Amino acid sequence: MNHPLTSYTDEELIVLMKTDSTIVAEIFSELYDRHKNRIYAYTLRVTVSRDDARDILQETFIRFYQSLQTTFIANVGAYLLITARNLCLNQKRSQRNYEKLSEDIPAEEFLIRFEHKDLITQLSKALACVDFDQREAFVLRYYHTLEYEEIAEITGQNINTIRNRVWRAKEKIKTLLAPIIKEISA
Amino acid sequence: MNSYQQHIHEYLDGTLPAHMQEELFSEMSMNEELREEFSLQLSVQQKVSADVATIVAPDDIKENVFTQIGLPFHSPITSVSDALLPLPAFSGFFSIGSIAFIALITGVFSTWFFLQGNNTTPISGNSQKIIAYSSGNNNANIPAVNRSTISTISNQSSTKNSDRINSNIQPIVIPPLTLSDNQSDGIASKIDYGSTYTETIYNSPLHNYSVQHNFSNSQIHNNLSFIQTPYFDENNLQLRFASISPIGADAHSVFIAQGMYELDEDNSIGVEYSHGSYSRTKQEIIDGEELSQKENKKFTAISATYRHNFISLKVFDIMPTFQVSLGGTTTGQPISRYSLGVQWTPESRISLTIGADVSVLGYTSENSWNTSVNTGIVSGVNIRF
């Protein structure tokens, strides 16, 4: 090919995939590489479990490929995100016995437990303490940089509800991290 | 303070209207607490940005996806941290295609052995497995037996092997023989005299054969028609189906199917298919300190199996048996299974087993290996061909 696959848009790649069956693997590989980190970031931070995030990332792309056989997907990014979200929700529903040991732990205890960890670890720990719905809204807003309207559309919630969830998630994280941040600044 | 906190959030979020920005900054210039709040919220947001940059999808998932959807995958050479290294490539070997192939081969051989074993064929001369069974009239052409091929002869008592004989076929009386007896046609010539049968056991390297029936000469003559090797003679295959009933809170049911080959009466080897569930502890991100969860996962495994029957401890058709299986699941996890129990053989082709079973399945979570131990009562049935 004269043009590298990276020069095509997602939609162009899908059209190309349907017209040239000899390069399906290469095209799918390109689509996977484009979106894998974004979807993984969502699943990892929403499920707060590396094992679940791995499983969901894998299943998301398998379903995406299966859908490509029968459907024309106009917005690959949105399709992947919605698929991953549905899988996360299924996972959450199946985990009735999920035990969140650190939920609602006070900031002082959080400081004692994690003050020696790196800041990224502290952030992920703090995020794990946030309610699922608030955490999801926060992740979509700041990890995926989606507009509130887009988040509302994906989650089926009122835009003000989403704004409130993002705000509450951020407050919770800030409260947990504040002692650590202040200690570093001091 | 709260409304300004929210204004700071909205400002950093890019959603605070311009006219309110001016008010916010004016307030912050006079309020140190608000400046601290601004600094805190900014730090959080900066950490999120830094976090986004650190999250990279594990490399091995791409290959898994391609394998699952059946696309060729040519993995680029990348360096992967230990934490992300996939397990040894069991999964490639134990693909669905491989399992189907193994099942096909096992099925073909089982069928072949079964059909072979049920053929009514004359016993061959000079066979070390000298046992003959007859039915019908007395015109049987009983072959000569070269006694030099008999390794040992003893007068032990056993009835089990004769029980395996098709009920339509009666055993020929085999006279007591000794190693010093050099007659080559002893079986046929001895049939005419001796009103009762005396038991004889021939020990071959792999088989013990016995005939233990008492009947008169007239009965023997009336029953001789053709000679047949007993259908179990050449074949030592067993199919075994078993299930594990869980014991304990985290235990699960497992279905087991085995194809076994008897090396001798004590030892068997074979292939085991097992399907069931296991419990695993999920770890939270990074070091798993906050979130823990027990979850159930299904598995399908193929294992190599060894079984030992303690035949010397056999009492009333019941004997202790021990079994060990080692293999891997279709997702690349090592699995081992150990069971100790008893086997009851009410009929030579059917055995029932029951015992205690412990399975150990290895899996990785986060960066480390973990094991899931499943305990239960295993019960099953063996069908011998």
Side-chain angles (χ1 to χ4, degrees), chain A residues 16-83:
Chain A
L16 201 58
M17 184 187 268
K18 290 184 181 295
T19 54
D20 188 351
S21 61
T22 62
I23 54 170
V24 168
E26 287 80 1
I27 293 173
F28 189 73
S29 176
E30 171 63 22
L31 289 169
Y32 178 90
D33 289 340
R34 279 185 196 182
H35 296 280
K36 62 177 181 181
N37 289 343
R38 188 169 150 272
I39 299 301
Y40 185 62
Y42 171 82
T43 58
L44 181 64
R45 288 298 174 241
V46 167
T47 63
V48 293
S49 160
R50 199 181 292 274
D51 289 340
D52 284 348
R54 288 171 58 91
D55 290 347
I56 291 172
L57 175 66
Q58 182 172 317
E59 185 61 25
T60 298
F61 276 94
I62 289 170
R63 292 191 183 193
F64 170 55
Y65 180 79
Q66 290 166 343
S67 296
L68 283 175
Q69 311 306 309
T70 55
T71 318
F72 180 80
I73 296 170
N75 187 336
V76 174
Y79 178 90
L80 289 170
L81 186 59
I82 290 169
T83 303

Side-chain angles (χ1 to χ4, degrees), chain B residues 312-380:
Chain B
S312 59
L313 303 176
K314 186 175 182 179
V315 178
F316 299 121
D317 297 336
I318 297 174
M319 62 182 164
T321 180
F322 171 74
Q323 183 172 289
V324 58
S325 302
L326 298 172
T329 69
T330 51
T331 52
Q333 298 154 315
I335 185 171
S336 60
R337 213 167 56 72
Y338 313 90
S339 47
L340 181 64
V342 291
Q343 176 173 305
W344 176 47
T345 310
E347 198 277 330
S348 62
R349 282 192 291 173
I350 302 291
S351 302
L352 304 175
T353 58
I354 188 164
D357 188 281
V358 178
S359 308
V360 182
L361 188 147
Y363 63 92
T364 53
S365 181
E366 297 298 323
N367 301 335
S368 62
W369 276 93
N370 298 280
T371 55
S372 174
V373 179
N374 194 44
T375 53
I377 298 292
V378 61
S379 56

Side-chain angles (χ1 to χ4, degrees), chain B residues 200-218:
Chain B
T200 301
I201 297 175
Y202 297 88
N203 293 320
S204 75
L206 295 182
H207 307 282
N208 290 333
Y209 297 120
S210 70
V211 181
Q212 188 174 18
H213 284 268
N214 295 324
F215 46 96
S216 67
N217 278 338
S218 61

Side-chain angles (χ1 to χ4, degrees), chain A residues 52 114 117 143 148 174, chain B residues 13 37 51 282 287 290:
Chain A
D52 284 348
F114 304 118
K117 303 281 185 184
Y143 284 76
Y148 285 109
K174 187 195 74 183
Chain B
D13 198 35
E37 173 67 18
D51 187 33
K282 288 172 62 175
D287 57 9
E290 288 72 37

Side-chain angles (χ1 to χ4, degrees), chain A residues 24-26 28-30 32-33 36-37 40-41 44-45 47-55 57-59 61-62 65-66 91 94-102 105 113-114 117-125 127-129 138 141-144 148 163-164 166-167 170-171 173-174 177-179 181-182 184-185, chain B residues 1-2 4-10 12-15 36-37 39-66 68-74 83-86 280-295 297 363-367:
Chain A
V24 168
E26 287 80 1
F28 189 73
S29 176
E30 171 63 22
Y32 178 90
D33 289 340
K36 62 177 181 181
N37 289 343
Y40 185 62
L44 181 64
R45 288 298 174 241
T47 63
V48 293
S49 160
R50 199 181 292 274
D51 289 340
D52 284 348
R54 288 171 58 91
D55 290 347
L57 175 66
Q58 182 172 317
E59 185 61 25
F61 276 94
I62 289 170
Y65 180 79
Q66 290 166 343
Q91 185 76 1
S94 69
Q95 295 173 0
R96 290 177 186 169
N97 299 324
Y98 207 84
E99 190 182 0
K100 294 177 72 176
L101 298 178
S102 65
I105 64 172
R113 282 207 209 174
F114 304 118
K117 303 281 185 184
D118 61 89
L119 285 176
I120 299 299
T121 303
Q122 291 161 354
L123 176 66
S124 66
K125 300 292 184 189
L127 200 51
C129 298
F138 184 86
R141 176 62 182 158
Y142 292 121
Y143 284 76
H144 279 244
Y148 285 109
R163 284 181 191 278
N164 192 38
V166 172
W167 159 245
K170 193 173 174 184
E171 276 294 290
I173 293 166
K174 187 195 74 183
L177 294 182
I181 293 171
K182 283 176 181 171
I184 293 170
S185 306
Chain B
M1 174 76 178
N2 267 343
Y4 282 115
Q5 276 181 327
Q6 189 142 8
H7 288 167
I8 291 170
H9 161 68
E10 289 168 357
L12 293 172
D13 198 35
T15 55
E36 276 183 18
E37 173 67 18
S39 174
L40 259 178
Q41 289 199 28
L42 184 62
S43 291
V44 170
Q45 215 138 314
Q46 286 170 339
K47 283 174 184 44
V48 170
S49 301
D51 187 33
V52 172
T54 64
I55 300 176
V56 179
D59 286 340
D60 60 308
I61 293 180
K62 185 176 183 181
E63 186 170 0
N64 292 345
V65 170
F66 274 63
Q68 294 262 347
I69 61 181
L71 285 180
F73 175 75
H74 305 292
L84 300 178
L85 280 175
R280 56 180 285 162
T281 303
K282 288 172 62 175
Q283 305 288 334
E284 199 222 340
I285 43 176
I286 302 175
D287 57 9
E289 291 181 353
E290 288 72 37
L291 298 172
S292 69
Q293 178 199 9
K294 287 280 186 187
E295 68 167 357
K297 288 268 187 182
Y363 63 92
T364 53
S365 181
E366 297 298 323
N367 301 335

